[in-house]
Amino acid sequence: MDAGTATAPDLRLHRIQQAVKWTVYTLLLVNFGYYIAEDVIRGAHTLTAESTFLQWTSNFAVTMDEAAWFILLFMFELETYALSDEALKGWVARLLHGVRLVCFVMIAHTIYAYGNAVITLQPTVPVEDATHLCDLADQDLSYVYNLEYTDITQETCGGLSSATQFYRVGDDPVVSDMAGLRLERQLAWADIYEGVAWLLALLAIELVVRLQDRGVTGGALMQTAKWGKSLLYLSILGVGVHWATLSHWLYLWDEILWIGGFMAIDMNLSEWRKEMLEEEVAAVQA
């Protein structure tokens, strides 16, 4: 925003927007730390010395995904707010676009990992010679239900499940009962949908940024991208509500924060468009 031409109300609104934006960014960073810890805890139950590289990257898919999104958010912040139009040329523009491309690849890998998880969860493989969870105690196995992993020991086995049949959960040293296996499958599909929806929303933002880079401030393509992005945000919020119904309230909170983060980029874009239109009017009047 040009402080020399902005009115006092505009400046106050701008300061409020910036305060909200950086508050959201800070809260997202706090959430990032939680997801790293969650992936580490999950890895303690699912990864072994024989685990493949894909299994390792799949286990830490959320950490990689969040890291890519943070870098993208930073790149968009630079391009839509921090850097001037004069600075966004040559090697600077190529660097920003190149880094964003790498982030796209990281996010695409996350979606691939989610897809691989769905595939590995499809077989229904019963655990033989086990009619009670305590039959599997102290065998370096974990029980999972609703993404909560517990080591199966003589102390824990009695309170985890009353089922009489248990099933392997993917290729990991993890078991669950049929209800738990079904839930794992449902949540794996939710991960895929959420990942694809975010990727499409990101492409819509990228399109708007590229259009404005070329001096385009309106038109059918711009409006389609903006409306499509809003619908995707609503659907992502719906996934977050689904997570909340399963007591994963933090996931809903995370969705709200990320939507808020990219709405902050939208505010940057709106401010940028306003400046472009003002420059066009000034050029016509000159």
Side-chain angles (χ1 to χ4, degrees):
M1 174 176 285
D2 188 347
T5 60
T7 63
D10 285 340
L11 288 173
R12 282 196 296 271
L13 177 60
H14 178 73
R15 284 194 290 267
I16 292 171
Q17 289 175 339
Q18 292 304 303
V20 171
K21 178 173 69 177
W22 288 104
T23 299
V24 169
Y25 290 173
T26 302
L27 291 172
L28 281 170
L29 191 60
V30 172
N31 272 24
F32 184 37
Y34 171 84
Y35 282 119
I36 293 174
E38 191 175 62
D39 279 354
V40 170
I41 292 171
R42 184 187 303 110
H45 293 278
T46 61
L47 298 174
T48 66
E50 290 75 32
S51 296
T52 65
F53 177 75
L54 177 59
Q55 287 172 324
W56 276 88
T57 56
S58 296
N59 183 84
F60 287 93
V62 175
T63 296
M64 295 173 62
D65 185 59
E66 291 274 318
W69 282 108
F70 265 111
I71 296 171
L72 276 171
L73 202 60
F74 180 61
M75 293 297 104
F76 280 126
E77 181 68 21
L78 286 176
E79 186 163 358
T80 63
Y81 182 78
L83 297 178
S84 66
D85 292 343
E86 291 73 22
L88 286 170
K89 295 177 181 178
W91 70 269
V92 174
R94 289 193 295 272
L95 177 62
L96 291 177
H97 296 162
V99 171
R100 289 215 295 267
L101 179 60
V102 171
C103 291
F104 272 112
V105 173
M106 291 174 65
I107 293 169
H109 170 271
T110 301
I111 296 173
Y112 171 77
Y114 289 156
N116 186 67
V118 167
I119 293 171
T120 58
L121 285 171
Q122 292 314 301
T124 303
V125 182
V127 178
E128 297 179 355
D129 302 323
T131 58
H132 192 280
L133 203 56
C134 289
D135 295 333
L136 303 174
D138 302 319
Q139 296 183 29
D140 292 326
L141 293 173
S142 299
Y143 174 83
V144 63
Y145 185 83
N146 196 18
L147 302 182
E148 293 187 13
Y149 293 81
T150 306
D151 290 329
I152 304 174
T153 66
Q154 292 294 342
E155 291 74 24
T156 63
C157 63
L160 294 175
S161 174
S162 60
T164 57
Q165 180 66 69
F166 300 93
Y167 303 88
R168 299 283 178 181
V169 179
D171 300 326
D172 302 322
V174 178
V175 301
S176 190
D177 51 30
M178 181 51 72
L181 182 59
R182 288 198 190 101
L183 185 56
E184 291 298 305
R185 289 168 175 168
Q186 292 171 10
L187 297 181
W189 277 110
D191 279 336
I192 285 185
Y193 177 81
E194 181 184 352
V196 171
W198 270 117
L199 186 59
L200 292 174
L202 175 61
L203 290 172
I205 295 172
E206 181 74 24
L207 176 60
V208 172
V209 171
R210 293 298 183 96
L211 288 172
Q212 292 194 190
D213 275 342
R214 289 162 173 75
V216 178
T217 57
L221 190 57
M222 177 78 77
Q223 291 302 316
T224 299
K226 290 166 64 176
W227 278 103
K229 181 177 52 182
S230 298
L231 292 174
L232 287 166
Y233 285 161
L234 285 175
S235 69
I236 290 167
L237 195 58
V239 174
V241 171
H242 175 64
W243 285 112
T245 62
L246 297 170
S247 299
H248 295 291
W249 293 97
L250 183 66
Y251 294 173
L252 173 59
W253 173 240
D254 189 64
E255 301 286 25
I256 292 171
L257 286 180
W258 275 110
I259 291 172
F262 282 101
M263 286 181 69
I265 299 300
D266 289 338
M267 287 191 298
N268 291 346
L269 288 167
S270 178
E271 194 171 293
W272 184 10
R273 278 195 300 274
K274 182 180 178 182
E275 291 175 358
M276 291 169 65
L277 290 171
E278 289 173 349
E279 290 172 1
E280 289 177 6
V281 171
V284 170
Q285 293 176 345

